[in-house]
Structure formats: C-alpha cells, structure tokens
Amino acid sequence: MDKSRIRELARNNIVTIMFVVLCAVCLIFSGYSPSYVAYELFGRLSRNMFIVLSLIIPIVAGMGINFAITTGAMAAQIACLLVLEWGVPGIAGFLVAALLTVPLASLFGWLIGKLYNKMKGQEMIGGLVIGYFANGLYQLLFLFIFDNIIPINNPNLTITGSTGIANTMDLSREGGIASSLDKLWRLPFSQAVLAFAAVIAVILVIGYVKNHEKNSKRLGIQLGILAVAAAVCQTPPVKEVFSMVNVPMITFACVAVLCIFNVVIMRTKLGQQFRAVGQSGTVANASGINVNHVRIIAIVFSTVLAGWGQLIFVQNMGAFQTYGAHGQVGLYAGAAILVGGASVVRATNTQALVGCVLFHLMFILAPAAGKNLFGDAAIGEYFRVFLCYGVIAVALVMHAWSAGAKKKKRAKEEK
C-alpha cells in the first residue's frame, strides 16, 4: 500500500483513530478492571446500538444525520405511557408499545420529511430545530393534555397533588415493561458467542447455496475465521474478561436483524433509489425518481426505527425521565456513528457498531480517568460531553473541506 493511500485512509478515519487512542489512554488511567469495563460496555451497547443504526438510511439518501430522531423517541415514550395506563405488562406491553410507536413515529416522520423537502441542504440544522420545537409540544401534551383533557387513571403516572404526568416514569412497577425484552433469554458471553457463530454460519451456508456464482474458497475462509473467533472466545483469558457479562440474546438479535434489514433494503429498488437520491438529486429526478417521495420514506424509516430503539433503551433502564429522556438521543447517536468513521454522506452498519463501541467506551472510562489524572471526576464528565459536540463539529468541517476539495479538482479538470 503506497503512502498516498495510507494518508487518505488516515484522513478519512481521523476521528475513529483519535477515539481509539483516547480510549486506550483512558483505559490505562481509569483503574477499572477489563471485566468491569466489558460488563458496563455490553449494558450500554444493548440499549444504544439500535438507535445508532436507525441513522444509516437518511445518510445514504443524502439527508445527513437525522437529528429529528428525537421525535421518534417522543413517540415511543407516548406509547410507553399508554401501555402503563392500560396495564399491559411484560413482553406483551413492550410489543403493544412497539405497535403504537409505528403510526405515531410514521406521522412525525412524514411531517418532518415534508419539511425537509422545503429545506434541502439544511436538513441537519432543521432536524435540531425541529427537535426543540417538538419538545415544546411534547411538554404541553404531558403537562396539560394528559390528565386534564385526556384522563389518566393510574395514580403512579401523575404528579401528586397536581395535574400532568410525573417527572419519572417507573417501568419496574407491577404492570410495567422493565427488562421485558432483555430477560427473555440471557446467556453467558462464551455461550452467546457460540450461538451467534452458529447462526452466522447457517446464514453464510444459505447464502452460498442460493448464490449462482458459488465461491467455495471464500466460504471456507469465512467459516474458518468464524470458527477461530468462536474458539478464542472460549479460552480462559477471554472468559475471565467477560465473566460478568450476560448477553440479552433477543435484544442483540434485534440489532442483528436491523443490520440485515439495512443491507437487504439497499439491494432493493427502493434502496437503489436511496443511493441515487443521495448521490445526486438532480440526476435522480432526471431518471424518473420522485426525489421528494423517496426522501420522506427515508425519514419515516429512520423515525420509526429510532422509536423502537428508544423502547429498547427505556425497558433496559427500567425507568426514564419523562421530560428529558429523549433530549440528547439525536446528538449522542449522531456522535456515535461519526466516531465509527461515517460521514454526513456515507454510513455503514460496521461504522455504526464500531462508533457505538468507541463512543460508549469513552463514556465509561473518561470520568475515572479524569479523576485519577486531575483529581476531579467532573473533568472527565466535561471532557466526554465536549467530545460529543466536538466530533460532530469535526465531521461537518471535514465534510465541507472534502466537498470544497472535490469542487476545486473538478474545476481544474474542466479547464
């Protein structure tokens, strides 16, 4: 590999490289044991990965990071309130909330998509403003409309001595949906690896059988790598690191299904339209694609998926702040996917998952590292919040710089 290629790779992945270095430094100075870090990390990944993956489709469709997924989170929290009011417990309540989220988030996504079509090129800024505006309507709904215009009969959901919904919605009470998805099937890490390896092997074999151009050598290499990885995870040192981890299999299966969905939909006609619109709306329109319609579909997909992701998040937590749990969803998810090497015009499943790991690893390690280095845990807290916004700023600057460089290159070629 020549030096120019290495420089290009480094430049395109500078944020990811920076975070890998920072995470390594923070791990050294945090004082945490690897087993504790693994335990905390898996807890965060199980409740955050789905939301981060919901950002991919709008990015591919050329709309940048959909910061308006905040409205999808609001739809999920409205659904949670209704399920708690109706007293539908456990996994049944979770599924009812997921069904209720679809029409609510679809409506919000459709309205946002219509608005985005009026502000092409400014979708990310528009998404942030929409999130703030929607939050005002959400506050009105929960403080005044619920328990005043729409009666709420469950006393655990309302403010004692006043009207409106309580500040904290406890999902662990009787009739709640706390851990309803996570506790369906849990396995120790080593067993979970074997289970997922078996499923992946079956998928690879099925793909090989259905593929007209059968490449047995490639299949053998893939299965060999899979077998080696599974075997390594059964060794005593690896088992020791992940000794505290119990993997919620159904939750991670949902994440895997979303990854497969993102891959499959990009191979359909609709997925090709997403790519065409993302590459050039003008060319796509000239090709007969209804650009505005495709953009709306992309935002609806993203908003609904984000709503489901928020449901996974709150059931894992067991409770959430009624008026604030959705506030940072868009920023944190956007920062996580950018950390993985995605840009505002290109994103993949791998980048989303890697970014989620690095971003939340930093969240775990930074306070302890800050305390040990500077004697104050608050420094680590400030540092990770600064990085959340800084990563987004760096990504936007690099995108603008890259677009400008390409524009200059085209101008020189035309001359």
Side-chain angles (χ1 to χ4, degrees), residues 44-59 65-70 72-73 76-77 251 254-255 258 262 301-314 325-326 328-334 336-337 352-353 356 360:
R44 284 180 170 272
L45 295 181
S46 65
R47 60 178 175 258
N48 286 288
M49 275 184 165
F50 201 98
I51 296 178
V52 177
L53 287 165
S54 71
L55 294 174
I56 290 177
I57 291 178
I59 292 175
I65 299 169
N66 180 23
F67 290 117
I69 59 170
T70 303
Q77 290 169 194
T251 304
C254 291
V255 172
L258 180 53
N262 283 338
F301 268 126
S302 181
T303 309
V304 172
L305 291 173
W308 286 347
Q310 184 70 356
L311 285 178
I312 292 173
F313 181 91
V314 298
H326 54 276
Q328 300 296 322
V329 167
L331 285 172
Y332 284 174
I337 199 169
L353 298 178
C356 199
H360 289 285

Side-chain angles (χ1 to χ4, degrees), residues 82-96:
L82 295 176
V83 166
L84 293 175
E85 167 65 8
W86 297 336
V88 185
I91 190 62
F94 180 86
L95 293 175
V96 170

Side-chain angles (χ1 to χ4, degrees), residues 28 42 57 66 69 119 136 153 201 227 239 243 261 280 405:
I28 293 170
F42 266 80
I57 291 178
N66 180 23
I69 59 170
M119 53 172 67
N153 299 316
K239 281 188 173 182
S243 59
F261 172 79
S280 174

Side-chain angles (χ1 to χ4, degrees), residues 345-363:
V345 293
R346 182 180 178 274
T348 64
N349 286 331
T350 301
Q351 290 169 336
L353 298 178
V354 170
C356 199
V357 170
L358 292 175
F359 186 74
H360 289 285
L361 190 58
M362 176 62 70
F363 260 55

